[in-house]
Every structure is written in C-alpha cells, then in structure tokens.
Amino acid sequence: QVQLVESGGGLVQAGGSLRLSCAASRSIFSLNVIGWYRQAPGEQRELVATFTSAGSTNYADSVKGRFTISRDNPKNTVYLQMNSLKPEDTAVYYCHAIWLGVQSWGQGTQVTVSA
C-alpha cells in the first residue's frame, strides 16, 4: 500500500485559486495511477483529475480548463492547481493511487468555496 498525505485545502471566495499537494511514500513513477477525487456532502466520491503510468491525464468535465494536475517526480508529489473556483467545487478532496492493483487513499483535505 502507498501512504498519501494531502495538504493545501482551505476557504476561498468564488473565483479564487488553491493548490493542493499530495506526497506519496514511494516513487510516483512506480504507481499505475495517481490523482485526485472529491466528495461533497451527500454525494458520491467522484474523479477530479488523474495521471496514468503512461503519463496521460484525465479530467472531469466539470473542471476542465480550470484545474491542472501536475507532478514533481523527485519529491514524489502530485499537485492540483485549482483556478476560477466555484461554490460547487466545495468538497473534501482525496489523493488516490493504485499500485500493484491495490488502491490507497489519503486522509482528505477540505476545500470550501464561498459565493
């Protein structure tokens, strides 16, 4: 299993920006998938953005053009830059990884966007 530690959440006004970080306990090169999910109150957890092991990215339609996933390989860290935030982006954001077929989740970080 991979340990994942998120940081960077907080409260921001609509239209603002935040950057989330996810530090992994092993090389992100070795992971099949690493990325971000979110879960709003009363809603199911949904994919936000991910990297595959081939380096391709996948974004939810609702965040395309506003959010950008990136990585710092020497630091084993993945980032989620969130711009033009909307109240509907309010959720707990979770880092997610798959390694050797096993899923791992971080503890989550709260993002709250006020109108």
mmCIF file of all heavy atoms in Angstrom, residues 23-70:
data_model
loop_
_atom_site.group_PDB
_atom_site.id
_atom_site.type_symbol
_atom_site.label_atom_id
_atom_site.label_comp_id
_atom_site.label_asym_id
_atom_site.label_seq_id
_atom_site.Cartn_x
_atom_site.Cartn_y
_atom_site.Cartn_z
ATOM 1 N N ALA A 23 1.732 14.122 -1.161
ATOM 2 C CA ALA A 23 3.051 13.497 -1.061
ATOM 3 C C ALA A 23 2.872 11.992 -0.911
ATOM 4 O O ALA A 23 2.166 11.530 -0.008
ATOM 5 C CB ALA A 23 3.809 14.066 0.127
ATOM 6 N N ALA A 24 3.514 11.237 -1.791
ATOM 7 C CA ALA A 24 3.418 9.774 -1.783
ATOM 8 C C ALA A 24 4.639 9.165 -1.112
ATOM 9 O O ALA A 24 5.732 9.742 -1.141
ATOM 10 C CB ALA A 24 3.292 9.256 -3.211
ATOM 11 N N SER A 25 4.437 7.970 -0.536
ATOM 12 C CA SER A 25 5.521 7.305 0.196
ATOM 13 C C SER A 25 6.461 6.516 -0.697
ATOM 14 O O SER A 25 7.429 5.935 -0.209
ATOM 15 C CB SER A 25 4.937 6.369 1.265
ATOM 16 O OG SER A 25 4.160 5.361 0.649
ATOM 17 N N ARG A 26 6.163 6.480 -1.996
ATOM 18 C CA ARG A 26 7.058 5.800 -2.923
ATOM 19 C C ARG A 26 7.065 6.565 -4.236
ATOM 20 O O ARG A 26 6.241 7.445 -4.466
ATOM 21 C CB ARG A 26 6.653 4.342 -3.115
ATOM 22 C CG ARG A 26 5.307 4.118 -3.737
ATOM 23 C CD ARG A 26 5.046 2.632 -3.930
ATOM 24 N NE ARG A 26 6.010 2.024 -4.821
ATOM 25 C CZ ARG A 26 6.936 1.145 -4.419
ATOM 26 N NH1 ARG A 26 6.985 0.762 -3.157
ATOM 27 N NH2 ARG A 26 7.770 0.625 -5.281
ATOM 28 N N SER A 27 7.989 6.189 -5.090
ATOM 29 C CA SER A 27 8.129 6.882 -6.361
ATOM 30 C C SER A 27 6.820 6.867 -7.140
ATOM 31 O O SER A 27 6.212 5.814 -7.317
ATOM 32 C CB SER A 27 9.224 6.215 -7.194
ATOM 33 O OG SER A 27 9.200 6.719 -8.513
ATOM 34 N N ILE A 28 6.401 8.053 -7.579
ATOM 35 C CA ILE A 28 5.156 8.105 -8.344
ATOM 36 C C ILE A 28 5.334 7.475 -9.726
ATOM 37 O O ILE A 28 4.343 7.153 -10.378
ATOM 38 C CB ILE A 28 4.604 9.541 -8.435
ATOM 39 C CG1 ILE A 28 5.625 10.513 -9.012
ATOM 40 C CG2 ILE A 28 4.133 9.994 -7.072
ATOM 41 C CD1 ILE A 28 5.103 11.928 -9.153
ATOM 42 N N PHE A 29 6.570 7.273 -10.154
ATOM 43 C CA PHE A 29 6.807 6.548 -11.403
ATOM 44 C C PHE A 29 6.307 5.110 -11.295
ATOM 45 O O PHE A 29 5.917 4.505 -12.288
ATOM 46 C CB PHE A 29 8.301 6.516 -11.745
ATOM 47 C CG PHE A 29 8.780 7.718 -12.490
ATOM 48 C CD1 PHE A 29 9.858 8.446 -12.021
ATOM 49 C CD2 PHE A 29 8.177 8.110 -13.671
ATOM 50 C CE1 PHE A 29 10.313 9.553 -12.713
ATOM 51 C CE2 PHE A 29 8.623 9.215 -14.368
ATOM 52 C CZ PHE A 29 9.702 9.932 -13.881
ATOM 53 N N SER A 30 6.361 4.562 -10.083
ATOM 54 C CA SER A 30 6.010 3.150 -9.893
ATOM 55 C C SER A 30 4.509 2.922 -9.787
ATOM 56 O O SER A 30 4.064 1.774 -9.780
ATOM 57 C CB SER A 30 6.677 2.622 -8.620
ATOM 58 O OG SER A 30 6.120 3.233 -7.470
ATOM 59 N N LEU A 31 3.753 3.999 -9.702
ATOM 60 C CA LEU A 31 2.312 3.873 -9.491
ATOM 61 C C LEU A 31 1.592 3.729 -10.821
ATOM 62 O O LEU A 31 1.940 4.379 -11.804
ATOM 63 C CB LEU A 31 1.798 5.102 -8.740
ATOM 64 C CG LEU A 31 2.476 5.366 -7.398
ATOM 65 C CD1 LEU A 31 1.977 6.664 -6.799
ATOM 66 C CD2 LEU A 31 2.242 4.205 -6.447
ATOM 67 N N ASN A 32 0.566 2.887 -10.833
ATOM 68 C CA ASN A 32 -0.229 2.724 -12.044
ATOM 69 C C ASN A 32 -1.064 3.979 -12.315
ATOM 70 O O ASN A 32 -1.221 4.407 -13.448
ATOM 71 C CB ASN A 32 -1.131 1.516 -11.928
ATOM 72 C CG ASN A 32 -0.353 0.248 -11.676
ATOM 73 O OD1 ASN A 32 -0.323 -0.265 -10.562
ATOM 74 N ND2 ASN A 32 0.320 -0.266 -12.689
ATOM 75 N N VAL A 33 -1.618 4.500 -11.217
ATOM 76 C CA VAL A 33 -2.467 5.691 -11.315
ATOM 77 C C VAL A 33 -2.235 6.534 -10.071
ATOM 78 O O VAL A 33 -2.082 5.996 -8.966
ATOM 79 C CB VAL A 33 -3.966 5.318 -11.387
ATOM 80 C CG1 VAL A 33 -4.845 6.558 -11.341
ATOM 81 C CG2 VAL A 33 -4.266 4.513 -12.650
ATOM 82 N N ILE A 34 -2.201 7.843 -10.222
ATOM 83 C CA ILE A 34 -2.243 8.740 -9.064
ATOM 84 C C ILE A 34 -3.016 9.972 -9.461
ATOM 85 O O ILE A 34 -2.890 10.460 -10.586
ATOM 86 C CB ILE A 34 -0.834 9.096 -8.540
ATOM 87 C CG1 ILE A 34 -0.961 9.927 -7.249
ATOM 88 C CG2 ILE A 34 -0.012 9.819 -9.601
ATOM 89 C CD1 ILE A 34 0.316 10.018 -6.450
ATOM 90 N N GLY A 35 -3.829 10.447 -8.544
ATOM 91 C CA GLY A 35 -4.621 11.610 -8.860
ATOM 92 C C GLY A 35 -5.526 12.025 -7.732
ATOM 93 O O GLY A 35 -5.276 11.715 -6.566
ATOM 94 N N TRP A 36 -6.588 12.729 -8.085
ATOM 95 C CA TRP A 36 -7.462 13.376 -7.119
ATOM 96 C C TRP A 36 -8.932 13.007 -7.359
ATOM 97 O O TRP A 36 -9.387 12.973 -8.517
ATOM 98 C CB TRP A 36 -7.322 14.895 -7.227
ATOM 99 C CG TRP A 36 -5.973 15.388 -6.851
ATOM 100 C CD1 TRP A 36 -4.902 15.591 -7.681
ATOM 101 C CD2 TRP A 36 -5.527 15.721 -5.531
ATOM 102 N NE1 TRP A 36 -3.824 16.043 -6.962
ATOM 103 C CE2 TRP A 36 -4.185 16.136 -5.641
ATOM 104 C CE3 TRP A 36 -6.131 15.743 -4.278
ATOM 105 C CZ2 TRP A 36 -3.431 16.538 -4.535
ATOM 106 C CZ3 TRP A 36 -5.387 16.146 -3.182
ATOM 107 C CH2 TRP A 36 -4.053 16.535 -3.321
ATOM 108 N N TYR A 37 -9.616 12.775 -6.249
ATOM 109 C CA TYR A 37 -11.058 12.609 -6.225
ATOM 110 C C TYR A 37 -11.613 13.640 -5.254
ATOM 111 O O TYR A 37 -10.865 14.239 -4.466
ATOM 112 C CB TYR A 37 -11.447 11.206 -5.757
ATOM 113 C CG TYR A 37 -11.330 10.143 -6.802
ATOM 114 C CD1 TYR A 37 -10.096 9.726 -7.279
ATOM 115 C CD2 TYR A 37 -12.462 9.512 -7.317
ATOM 116 C CE1 TYR A 37 -9.986 8.729 -8.247
ATOM 117 C CE2 TYR A 37 -12.374 8.509 -8.278
ATOM 118 C CZ TYR A 37 -11.136 8.129 -8.730
ATOM 119 O OH TYR A 37 -11.039 7.141 -9.684
ATOM 120 N N ARG A 38 -12.922 13.830 -5.282
ATOM 121 C CA ARG A 38 -13.563 14.699 -4.297
ATOM 122 C C ARG A 38 -14.935 14.144 -3.926
ATOM 123 O O ARG A 38 -15.537 13.403 -4.687
ATOM 124 C CB ARG A 38 -13.688 16.129 -4.821
ATOM 125 C CG ARG A 38 -14.654 16.309 -5.988
ATOM 126 C CD ARG A 38 -14.601 17.738 -6.510
ATOM 127 N NE ARG A 38 -15.519 17.953 -7.620
ATOM 128 C CZ ARG A 38 -15.577 19.061 -8.332
ATOM 129 N NH1 ARG A 38 -14.759 20.087 -8.048
ATOM 130 N NH2 ARG A 38 -16.441 19.190 -9.320
ATOM 131 N N GLN A 39 -15.364 14.547 -2.729
ATOM 132 C CA GLN A 39 -16.671 14.113 -2.248
ATOM 133 C C GLN A 39 -17.339 15.262 -1.524
ATOM 134 O O GLN A 39 -16.828 15.743 -0.510
ATOM 135 C CB GLN A 39 -16.535 12.900 -1.325
ATOM 136 C CG GLN A 39 -17.857 12.289 -0.941
ATOM 137 C CD GLN A 39 -17.697 10.932 -0.284
ATOM 138 O OE1 GLN A 39 -16.627 10.576 0.216
ATOM 139 N NE2 GLN A 39 -18.756 10.147 -0.288
ATOM 140 N N ALA A 40 -18.469 15.691 -2.070
ATOM 141 C CA ALA A 40 -19.272 16.735 -1.448
ATOM 142 C C ALA A 40 -20.263 16.078 -0.496
ATOM 143 O O ALA A 40 -20.593 14.891 -0.651
ATOM 144 C CB ALA A 40 -19.988 17.544 -2.518
ATOM 145 N N PRO A 41 -20.779 16.818 0.480
ATOM 146 C CA PRO A 41 -21.748 16.248 1.421
ATOM 147 C C PRO A 41 -22.946 15.650 0.698
ATOM 148 O O PRO A 41 -23.550 16.289 -0.165
ATOM 149 C CB PRO A 41 -22.139 17.456 2.272
ATOM 150 C CG PRO A 41 -20.991 18.381 2.188
ATOM 151 C CD PRO A 41 -20.433 18.217 0.808
ATOM 152 N N GLY A 42 -23.274 14.412 1.048
ATOM 153 C CA GLY A 42 -24.426 13.753 0.456
ATOM 154 C C GLY A 42 -24.219 13.253 -0.958
ATOM 155 O O GLY A 42 -25.161 12.753 -1.579
ATOM 156 N N GLU A 43 -22.997 13.395 -1.463
ATOM 157 C CA GLU A 43 -22.708 12.967 -2.831
ATOM 158 C C GLU A 43 -21.717 11.818 -2.843
ATOM 159 O O GLU A 43 -21.023 11.556 -1.853
ATOM 160 C CB GLU A 43 -22.136 14.142 -3.642
ATOM 161 C CG GLU A 43 -23.026 15.363 -3.718
ATOM 162 C CD GLU A 43 -24.253 15.128 -4.576
ATOM 163 O OE1 GLU A 43 -24.193 14.269 -5.478
ATOM 164 O OE2 GLU A 43 -25.288 15.799 -4.332
ATOM 165 N N GLN A 44 -21.651 11.131 -3.985
ATOM 166 C CA GLN A 44 -20.643 10.084 -4.150
ATOM 167 C C GLN A 44 -19.288 10.704 -4.464
ATOM 168 O O GLN A 44 -19.203 11.812 -4.998
ATOM 169 C CB GLN A 44 -21.061 9.145 -5.287
ATOM 170 C CG GLN A 44 -22.254 8.265 -4.966
ATOM 171 C CD GLN A 44 -22.461 7.173 -5.988
ATOM 172 O OE1 GLN A 44 -22.070 7.311 -7.145
ATOM 173 N NE2 GLN A 44 -23.043 6.076 -5.569
ATOM 174 N N ARG A 45 -18.262 9.957 -4.126
ATOM 175 C CA ARG A 45 -16.910 10.394 -4.463
ATOM 176 C C ARG A 45 -16.758 10.354 -5.986
ATOM 177 O O ARG A 45 -17.175 9.389 -6.639
ATOM 178 C CB ARG A 45 -15.877 9.482 -3.791
ATOM 179 C CG ARG A 45 -14.486 10.052 -3.740
ATOM 180 C CD ARG A 45 -13.584 9.223 -2.833
ATOM 181 N NE ARG A 45 -13.997 9.299 -1.429
ATOM 182 C CZ ARG A 45 -13.280 8.806 -0.428
ATOM 183 N NH1 ARG A 45 -12.103 8.209 -0.675
ATOM 184 N NH2 ARG A 45 -13.715 8.898 0.812
ATOM 185 N N GLU A 46 -16.143 11.398 -6.538
ATOM 186 C CA GLU A 46 -16.003 11.484 -7.984
ATOM 187 C C GLU A 46 -14.574 11.831 -8.372
ATOM 188 O O GLU A 46 -13.857 12.520 -7.636
ATOM 189 C CB GLU A 46 -16.951 12.538 -8.567
ATOM 190 C CG GLU A 46 -16.691 13.955 -8.100
ATOM 191 C CD GLU A 46 -17.572 14.982 -8.777
ATOM 192 O OE1 GLU A 46 -18.424 14.611 -9.602
ATOM 193 O OE2 GLU A 46 -17.405 16.188 -8.478
ATOM 194 N N LEU A 47 -14.200 11.365 -9.545
ATOM 195 C CA LEU A 47 -12.870 11.656 -10.066
ATOM 196 C C LEU A 47 -12.775 13.135 -10.418
ATOM 197 O O LEU A 47 -13.699 13.715 -10.990
ATOM 198 C CB LEU A 47 -12.609 10.791 -11.303
ATOM 199 C CG LEU A 47 -11.261 10.960 -11.996
ATOM 200 C CD1 LEU A 47 -10.798 9.624 -12.558
ATOM 201 C CD2 LEU A 47 -11.330 11.986 -13.121
ATOM 202 N N VAL A 48 -11.633 13.730 -10.096
ATOM 203 C CA VAL A 48 -11.354 15.118 -10.478
ATOM 204 C C VAL A 48 -10.300 15.135 -11.585
ATOM 205 O O VAL A 48 -10.526 15.665 -12.660
ATOM 206 C CB VAL A 48 -10.876 15.941 -9.273
ATOM 207 C CG1 VAL A 48 -10.533 17.365 -9.715
ATOM 208 C CG2 VAL A 48 -11.926 15.953 -8.178
ATOM 209 N N ALA A 49 -9.140 14.544 -11.298
ATOM 210 C CA ALA A 49 -8.049 14.525 -12.276
ATOM 211 C C ALA A 49 -7.063 13.439 -11.886
ATOM 212 O O ALA A 49 -6.801 13.240 -10.698
ATOM 213 C CB ALA A 49 -7.336 15.871 -12.320
ATOM 214 N N THR A 50 -6.516 12.744 -12.877
ATOM 215 C CA THR A 50 -5.543 11.695 -12.599
ATOM 216 C C THR A 50 -4.450 11.659 -13.650
ATOM 217 O O THR A 50 -4.630 12.122 -14.777
ATOM 218 C CB THR A 50 -6.185 10.297 -12.569
ATOM 219 O OG1 THR A 50 -6.751 10.023 -13.847
ATOM 220 C CG2 THR A 50 -7.232 10.165 -11.491
ATOM 221 N N PHE A 51 -3.299 11.085 -13.242
ATOM 222 C CA PHE A 51 -2.232 10.667 -14.138
ATOM 223 C C PHE A 51 -2.290 9.153 -14.254
ATOM 224 O O PHE A 51 -2.523 8.457 -13.274
ATOM 225 C CB PHE A 51 -0.851 10.991 -13.545
ATOM 226 C CG PHE A 51 -0.386 12.383 -13.750
ATOM 227 C CD1 PHE A 51 -0.234 13.237 -12.670
ATOM 228 C CD2 PHE A 51 -0.038 12.844 -15.006
ATOM 229 C CE1 PHE A 51 0.228 14.531 -12.841
ATOM 230 C CE2 PHE A 51 0.418 14.136 -15.192
ATOM 231 C CZ PHE A 51 0.548 14.978 -14.104
ATOM 232 N N THR A 52 -2.033 8.661 -15.445
ATOM 233 C CA THR A 52 -1.795 7.230 -15.584
ATOM 234 C C THR A 52 -0.285 6.995 -15.583
ATOM 235 O O THR A 52 0.496 7.947 -15.663
ATOM 236 C CB THR A 52 -2.375 6.699 -16.894
ATOM 237 O OG1 THR A 52 -1.604 7.241 -17.979
ATOM 238 C CG2 THR A 52 -3.834 7.094 -17.043
ATOM 239 N N SER A 53 0.110 5.712 -15.508
ATOM 240 C CA SER A 53 1.539 5.400 -15.508
ATOM 241 C C SER A 53 2.203 5.810 -16.810
ATOM 242 O O SER A 53 3.410 6.046 -16.858
ATOM 243 C CB SER A 53 1.750 3.913 -15.260
ATOM 244 O OG SER A 53 1.088 3.158 -16.257
ATOM 245 N N ALA A 54 1.410 5.912 -17.867
ATOM 246 C CA ALA A 54 1.955 6.353 -19.153
ATOM 247 C C ALA A 54 2.115 7.868 -19.210
ATOM 248 O O ALA A 54 2.630 8.390 -20.202
ATOM 249 C CB ALA A 54 1.052 5.882 -20.285
ATOM 250 N N GLY A 55 1.626 8.551 -18.163
ATOM 251 C CA GLY A 55 1.811 9.994 -18.129
ATOM 252 C C GLY A 55 0.651 10.783 -18.690
ATOM 253 O O GLY A 55 0.679 12.024 -18.691
ATOM 254 N N SER A 56 -0.365 10.089 -19.173
ATOM 255 C CA SER A 56 -1.521 10.819 -19.690
ATOM 256 C C SER A 56 -2.373 11.316 -18.535
ATOM 257 O O SER A 56 -2.270 10.821 -17.412
ATOM 258 C CB SER A 56 -2.343 9.925 -20.616
ATOM 259 O OG SER A 56 -2.850 8.822 -19.910
ATOM 260 N N THR A 57 -3.205 12.316 -18.811
ATOM 261 C CA THR A 57 -4.062 12.901 -17.781
ATOM 262 C C THR A 57 -5.530 12.727 -18.157
ATOM 263 O O THR A 57 -5.883 12.593 -19.329
ATOM 264 C CB THR A 57 -3.759 14.391 -17.596
ATOM 265 O OG1 THR A 57 -3.909 15.059 -18.854
ATOM 266 C CG2 THR A 57 -2.357 14.606 -17.080
ATOM 267 N N ASN A 58 -6.344 12.730 -17.120
ATOM 268 C CA ASN A 58 -7.776 12.586 -17.305
ATOM 269 C C ASN A 58 -8.454 13.551 -16.343
ATOM 270 O O ASN A 58 -8.123 13.568 -15.149
ATOM 271 C CB ASN A 58 -8.191 11.137 -16.995
ATOM 272 C CG ASN A 58 -9.646 10.892 -17.284
ATOM 273 O OD1 ASN A 58 -10.217 11.495 -18.170
ATOM 274 N ND2 ASN A 58 -10.247 9.982 -16.535
ATOM 275 N N TYR A 59 -9.368 14.363 -16.853
ATOM 276 C CA TYR A 59 -10.065 15.360 -16.040
ATOM 277 C C TYR A 59 -11.572 15.150 -16.108
ATOM 278 O O TYR A 59 -12.116 14.761 -17.149
ATOM 279 C CB TYR A 59 -9.778 16.781 -16.553
ATOM 280 C CG TYR A 59 -8.377 17.266 -16.343
ATOM 281 C CD1 TYR A 59 -7.414 17.120 -17.330
ATOM 282 C CD2 TYR A 59 -8.013 17.903 -15.161
ATOM 283 C CE1 TYR A 59 -6.123 17.585 -17.156
ATOM 284 C CE2 TYR A 59 -6.713 18.378 -14.974
ATOM 285 C CZ TYR A 59 -5.783 18.215 -15.974
ATOM 286 O OH TYR A 59 -4.499 18.677 -15.789
ATOM 287 N N ALA A 60 -12.238 15.463 -15.004
ATOM 288 C CA ALA A 60 -13.696 15.539 -15.032
ATOM 289 C C ALA A 60 -14.103 16.710 -15.913
ATOM 290 O O ALA A 60 -13.429 17.760 -15.929
ATOM 291 C CB ALA A 60 -14.231 15.732 -13.625
ATOM 292 N N ASP A 61 -15.204 16.562 -16.616
ATOM 293 C CA ASP A 61 -15.672 17.641 -17.497
ATOM 294 C C ASP A 61 -15.894 18.932 -16.723
ATOM 295 O O ASP A 61 -15.643 20.023 -17.239
ATOM 296 C CB ASP A 61 -16.960 17.226 -18.209
ATOM 297 C CG ASP A 61 -16.737 16.181 -19.277
ATOM 298 O OD1 ASP A 61 -15.578 16.013 -19.722
ATOM 299 O OD2 ASP A 61 -17.712 15.519 -19.674
ATOM 300 N N SER A 62 -16.335 18.798 -15.481
ATOM 301 C CA SER A 62 -16.688 19.970 -14.688
ATOM 302 C C SER A 62 -15.481 20.825 -14.301
ATOM 303 O O SER A 62 -15.655 21.970 -13.882
ATOM 304 C CB SER A 62 -17.432 19.535 -13.417
ATOM 305 O OG SER A 62 -16.622 18.676 -12.646
ATOM 306 N N VAL A 63 -14.263 20.278 -14.426
ATOM 307 C CA VAL A 63 -13.078 21.040 -14.011
ATOM 308 C C VAL A 63 -12.136 21.343 -15.175
ATOM 309 O O VAL A 63 -11.147 22.060 -14.987
ATOM 310 C CB VAL A 63 -12.296 20.303 -12.895
ATOM 311 C CG1 VAL A 63 -13.220 19.955 -11.735
ATOM 312 C CG2 VAL A 63 -11.590 19.074 -13.416
ATOM 313 N N LYS A 64 -12.428 20.818 -16.346
ATOM 314 C CA LYS A 64 -11.552 21.069 -17.496
ATOM 315 C C LYS A 64 -11.428 22.564 -17.760
ATOM 316 O O LYS A 64 -12.414 23.294 -17.757
ATOM 317 C CB LYS A 64 -12.112 20.363 -18.737
ATOM 318 C CG LYS A 64 -11.873 18.872 -18.746
ATOM 319 C CD LYS A 64 -12.452 18.228 -20.002
ATOM 320 C CE LYS A 64 -12.223 16.722 -19.999
ATOM 321 N NZ LYS A 64 -12.852 16.059 -21.170
ATOM 322 N N GLY A 65 -10.182 22.989 -17.988
ATOM 323 C CA GLY A 65 -9.925 24.393 -18.243
ATOM 324 C C GLY A 65 -9.741 25.225 -16.986
ATOM 325 O O GLY A 65 -9.304 26.376 -17.066
ATOM 326 N N ARG A 66 -10.054 24.661 -15.827
ATOM 327 C CA ARG A 66 -9.907 25.383 -14.558
ATOM 328 C C ARG A 66 -8.874 24.725 -13.633
ATOM 329 O O ARG A 66 -8.169 25.419 -12.915
ATOM 330 C CB ARG A 66 -11.248 25.462 -13.822
ATOM 331 C CG ARG A 66 -12.342 26.169 -14.601
ATOM 332 C CD ARG A 66 -13.583 26.385 -13.753
ATOM 333 N NE ARG A 66 -14.183 25.132 -13.294
ATOM 334 C CZ ARG A 66 -14.363 24.818 -12.014
ATOM 335 N NH1 ARG A 66 -13.994 25.652 -11.052
ATOM 336 N NH2 ARG A 66 -14.928 23.662 -11.688
ATOM 337 N N PHE A 67 -8.824 23.411 -13.646
ATOM 338 C CA PHE A 67 -7.916 22.664 -12.769
ATOM 339 C C PHE A 67 -6.795 22.057 -13.610
ATOM 340 O O PHE A 67 -7.011 21.645 -14.757
ATOM 341 C CB PHE A 67 -8.647 21.527 -12.071
ATOM 342 C CG PHE A 67 -9.656 21.939 -11.035
ATOM 343 C CD1 PHE A 67 -10.075 23.259 -10.898
ATOM 344 C CD2 PHE A 67 -10.194 20.996 -10.179
ATOM 345 C CE1 PHE A 67 -10.989 23.632 -9.944
ATOM 346 C CE2 PHE A 67 -11.128 21.346 -9.209
ATOM 347 C CZ PHE A 67 -11.524 22.660 -9.109
ATOM 348 N N THR A 68 -5.617 21.972 -13.004
ATOM 349 C CA THR A 68 -4.473 21.357 -13.665
ATOM 350 C C THR A 68 -3.756 20.435 -12.696
ATOM 351 O O THR A 68 -3.388 20.855 -11.591
ATOM 352 C CB THR A 68 -3.482 22.424 -14.167
ATOM 353 O OG1 THR A 68 -4.151 23.330 -15.044
ATOM 354 C CG2 THR A 68 -2.321 21.762 -14.910
ATOM 355 N N ILE A 69 -3.557 19.200 -13.115
ATOM 356 C CA ILE A 69 -2.788 18.249 -12.315
ATOM 357 C C ILE A 69 -1.346 18.265 -12.807
ATOM 358 O O ILE A 69 -1.100 18.347 -14.021
ATOM 359 C CB ILE A 69 -3.401 16.830 -12.383
ATOM 360 C CG1 ILE A 69 -2.733 15.910 -11.365
ATOM 361 C CG2 ILE A 69 -3.354 16.255 -13.790
ATOM 362 C CD1 ILE A 69 -3.445 14.561 -11.208
ATOM 363 N N SER A 70 -0.417 18.237 -11.870
ATOM 364 C CA SER A 70 0.998 18.219 -12.235
ATOM 365 C C SER A 70 1.755 17.392 -11.204
ATOM 366 O O SER A 70 1.181 16.984 -10.182
ATOM 367 C CB SER A 70 1.574 19.636 -12.302
ATOM 368 O OG SER A 70 1.507 20.265 -11.030
#
